[in-house]
């Protein structure tokens, strides 16, 4: 997508409702700016109940016909979408970089992972198959089958503006549901482009895919709308809990994926050539704006061994280049906006004021777009304080020193989050003990970002999810359908 040249040329985005692009009824808008330059890209209408109602009613009108469409026909429509997405993957990646800020290499990876989710959803006919048991009593048989819920909504975050909509959309469609997407108001341009590509698939009828724009009012309206059957959400832990409570209060099925504070365990026997680059990518990739970011390094061993890890990490982080995501030489992209930079800088200042040592200070004034923040390492922070325990969502790595693996497990398992954790070691025994004992759903062994491929669930624990069924894999099919059990005598 060509960069918009001036604020005067910035369009106000339309909604995609019932197969048509229509202006929002809401008049209030939010400016969408390139995090690297501050350039105005678009104006985002802050839709509310009226806009949500129009989209949901369009979805409801299309839902019965789509559910009655044979599953193979639905899946082939998703296959055609996969082909389109694959043909436009570079365009989508550049749009992610422009709108969200991440490096182009990272954006290409994001788009690729999203397309993998579409590919995985092509297995839906197999995953939808039921079970039978003959002769449970004389002349009595039992069978199970699954049916779509009806209308499902997805509320997606700014940090993966292309991938996370594609976690939900293909499974929802293949299982026979009509879909309403509400992307983050911070960077909705990739979601808008995905909706445009859906519109090009003639086998997806009008109303089966809808796009609404807005902030909290739109979120609350989706969670409360009587015609919405289920809500999928990804965002912070606090908002995940809000979405879950509001959705459940209004009778919805909810999967709400929340925040994280992921620890990377660095054992004394770990290979530095593997460990240090892995920690850098995990802590500072996408400027730490990932729910799988490793934001705490648990340094295991003697004080001398811990100091050696600290020095290696500080030297590597200091060598990373901060800049615009479109620059191939950039390692650490800007944050989503100046407000995010200010929030993370305040957290660094608070840790320092409370006695922590800022080994490497990335505060640098924000750069051209006001959103740049360099890699920051914090040592000797309060191990139970915010820098060690709360999600900062920025390029900040907190070092926590522990004597052995048991102490590392005990520290990690006191966390209220349970999204992910990784261990760096050359010991199979240490890796096995970590895998068995850690209270987190996605684990890495010598891998800093333990992101499962799309055929497996995104399996956070504790406050990292509200609900029991996760995104992707078999969980997605189970979430978007409900089961019937038939006991019959003929």
């Amino acid at each position: 997508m060509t960069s918009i040249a001036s604020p005067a040329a910035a369009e106000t985005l339309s909604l995609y409702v019932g197969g048509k692009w229509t202006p929002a009824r809401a008049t209030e808008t939010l400016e969408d700016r390139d995090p690297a330059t501050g350039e105005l890209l678009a104006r985002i209408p802050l839709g509310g109940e009226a806009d949500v109602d129009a989209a949901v009613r369009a979805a409801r009108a299309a839902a019965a016909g789509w559910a009655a469409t044979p599953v193979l026909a639905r899946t082939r429509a998703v296959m055609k979408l996969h082909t389109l997405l694959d043909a436009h993957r570079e365009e989508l990646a550049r749009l992610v970089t422009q709108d969200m800020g991440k490096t182009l290499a990272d954006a290409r990876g994001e788009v690729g992972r999203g397309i993998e989710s579409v590919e995985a959803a092509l297995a839906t006919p197999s995953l939808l198959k039921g079970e039978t048991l003959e002769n449970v009593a004389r002349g009595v048989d039992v069978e199970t089958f699954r049916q779509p819920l009806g209308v499902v909504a997805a509320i997606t975050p700014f940090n993966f503006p292309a991938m996370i909509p594609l976690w939900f959309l293909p499974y929802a469609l293949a299982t026979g549901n009509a879909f309403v997407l509400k992307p983050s108001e911070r960077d909705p341009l990739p979601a808008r482009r995905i909706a445009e590509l859906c519109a090009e698939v003639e086998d997806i009828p009008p109303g089966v895919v809808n796009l609404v724009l807005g902030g909290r009012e739109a979120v609350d309206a989706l969670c409360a709308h009587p015609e919405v059957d289920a809500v999928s959400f990804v965002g912070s832990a606090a908002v995940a809990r809000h979405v879950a409570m509001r959705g459940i209060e209004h009778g919805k099925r909810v999967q709400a994926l929340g925040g994280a504070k992921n620890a990377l365990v660095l054992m004394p026997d770990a290979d530095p050539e593997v460990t240090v680059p892995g920690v850098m990518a995990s802590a500072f990739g996408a400027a730490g704006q990932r729910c799988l970011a490793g934001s705490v390094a648990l340094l295991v061993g003697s004080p001398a061994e811990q100091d050696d890890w600290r020095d290696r990490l500080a030297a590597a982080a200091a060598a990373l280049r901060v800049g615009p995501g479109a620059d191939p030489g950039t390692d650490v992209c800007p944050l989503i906006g100046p407000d995010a930079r200010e929030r993370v800088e305040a957290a660094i200042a608070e840790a320092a004021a409370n006695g922590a040592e800022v080994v490497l200070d990335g505060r640098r004034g924000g750069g051209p777009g006001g959103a740049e923040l360099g890699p920051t390492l914090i040592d000797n922070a309060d191990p139970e304080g915010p820098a060690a325990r709360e999600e900062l969502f920025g390029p900040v790595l907190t070092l926590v020193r522990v004597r052995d693996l048991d102490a590392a497990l005990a520290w990690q398992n006191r966390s209220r989050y349970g999204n992910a954790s990784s261990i760096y070691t050359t010991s199979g025994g240490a890796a096995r003990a970590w895998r068995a004992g850690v209270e987190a759903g996605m684990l890495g062994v010598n891998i800093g970002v333990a992101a499962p491929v799309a055929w497996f669930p995104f399996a956070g624990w504790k406050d990292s999810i509200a609900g029991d069924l996760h995104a992707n894999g078999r969980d997605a099919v189970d979430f978007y359908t409900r089961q019937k059990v038939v006991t019959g005598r003929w």
Side-chain angles (χ1 to χ4, degrees):
M1 182 175 179
T2 303
S3 178
I4 296 170
S6 67
E11 64 175 314
T12 298
L13 299 191
S14 294
L15 315 183
Y16 185 61
V17 176
K20 297 179 181 178
W21 291 97
T22 58
R25 301 182 188 184
T27 57
E28 184 181 359
T29 62
L30 180 73
E31 291 182 343
D32 178 12
R33 293 185 176 273
D34 183 331
T37 65
E39 177 186 6
L40 182 63
L41 302 176
R43 302 180 194 280
I44 313 305
L46 295 177
E49 289 186 11
D51 289 312
V52 166
D53 182 66
V56 171
R57 292 192 180 280
R60 179 57 67 187
W66 185 242
T69 301
V71 63
L72 291 181
R74 298 194 306 254
T75 306
R76 287 170 184 151
V78 174
M79 188 182 300
K80 291 180 180 179
L81 176 61
H82 177 275
T83 300
L84 279 173
L85 290 165
D86 190 48
H88 291 271
R89 67 165 65 212
E90 182 66 15
E91 175 196 355
L92 284 166
R94 291 184 179 278
L95 197 56
V96 168
T97 293
Q98 181 187 43
D99 205 16
M100 184 268 167
K102 65 178 58 174
T103 66
L104 189 54
D106 198 3
R108 287 172 178 149
E110 170 185 342
V111 172
R113 280 298 186 113
I115 292 173
E116 282 182 2
S117 289
V118 183
E119 185 177 349
L122 299 180
T124 295
S126 177
L127 296 174
L128 273 177
K129 291 187 298 185
E131 298 178 315
T132 61
L133 182 60
E134 191 178 39
N135 281 334
V136 296
R138 191 173 300 278
V140 177
D141 305 326
V142 177
E143 62 179 318
T144 68
F145 58 94
R146 306 194 75 90
Q147 293 182 322
L149 299 177
V151 174
V152 299
I155 301 163
T156 60
F158 75 82
N159 59 328
F160 286 93
M163 183 185 77
I164 294 181
L166 294 176
W167 276 5
F168 303 125
L169 186 153
Y171 285 102
L173 266 58
T175 53
N177 298 280
F179 186 75
V180 179
L181 172 62
K182 204 298 288 184
S184 170
E185 64 276 20
R186 302 295 299 262
D187 54 358
L189 297 183
R192 193 266 297 267
R193 187 67 183 118
I194 290 169
E196 289 175 344
L197 295 176
C198 288
E200 293 185 27
V201 181
E202 294 181 356
D203 295 340
I204 300 177
V208 171
V209 175
N210 303 273
L211 176 75
V212 294
L213 301 169
R216 177 165 180 158
E217 186 179 348
V219 170
D220 285 346
L222 282 169
C223 292
H225 198 291
E227 296 291 339
V228 171
D229 297 293
V231 176
S232 299
F233 171 86
V234 178
S236 70
V239 181
R241 183 60 59 89
H242 170 78
V243 167
M245 296 299 291
R246 186 169 176 82
I248 292 167
E249 179 186 4
H250 289 88
K252 317 300 179 198
R253 180 179 291 189
V254 178
Q255 54 178 183
L257 283 64
K261 191 68 172 181
N262 307 312
L264 308 173
V265 179
L266 278 55
M267 298 295 291
D269 65 356
D271 181 353
E273 298 301 315
V274 173
T275 303
V276 174
V279 173
M280 293 299 103
S282 182
F284 305 124
Q289 298 171 116
R290 296 173 179 156
C291 64
L292 286 180
S295 55
V296 175
L298 297 177
L299 310 182
V300 179
S302 68
E305 290 168 326
Q306 293 167 349
D307 287 347
D308 182 58
W309 279 125
R310 178 200 60 200
D311 294 344
R312 288 178 183 271
L313 295 174
L320 296 176
R321 181 179 169 189
V322 182
D327 184 340
T330 293
D331 299 302
V332 182
C333 68
L335 293 167
I336 186 63
D339 58 325
R341 174 188 58 80
E342 292 167 3
R343 174 183 51 76
V344 178
E345 286 186 348
I348 297 168
E350 179 184 0
N354 289 328
E357 177 189 359
V358 181
V359 177
L360 179 66
D361 194 338
R363 290 172 286 186
R364 49 188 288 132
E372 289 184 4
L373 177 62
T376 298
L377 259 68
I378 296 176
D379 195 8
N380 296 314
D382 177 357
E384 304 303 325
R389 288 300 189 185
E390 295 304 321
E391 185 175 49
L392 304 184
F393 229 56
V396 179
L397 179 64
T398 300
L399 310 179
V400 173
R401 297 166 180 249
V402 291
R403 66 183 181 277
D404 54 28
L405 182 57
D406 287 342
L409 275 168
W411 187 90
Q412 168 74 82
N413 290 345
R414 288 197 301 274
S415 175
R416 68 186 182 99
Y417 299 109
N419 216 39
S421 187
S422 293
I423 186 169
Y424 282 90
T425 182
T426 55
S427 165
R432 190 172 187 275
W434 181 256
R435 184 182 70 176
V438 68
E439 295 175 3
M442 291 171 284
L443 309 182
V445 177
N446 298 318
I447 292 175
V449 181
V453 294
W455 290 262
F456 290 83
F458 195 86
W461 288 16
K462 297 183 175 180
D463 270 5
S464 296
I465 186 171
D468 349 74
L469 292 171
H470 298 85
N472 278 323
R474 182 178 293 276
D475 272 25
V477 172
D478 289 348
F479 181 77
Y480 287 126
T481 60
R482 50 192 164 195
Q483 189 168 228
K484 284 184 174 178
V485 182
V486 181
T487 304
R489 174 185 284 123
W490 294 96

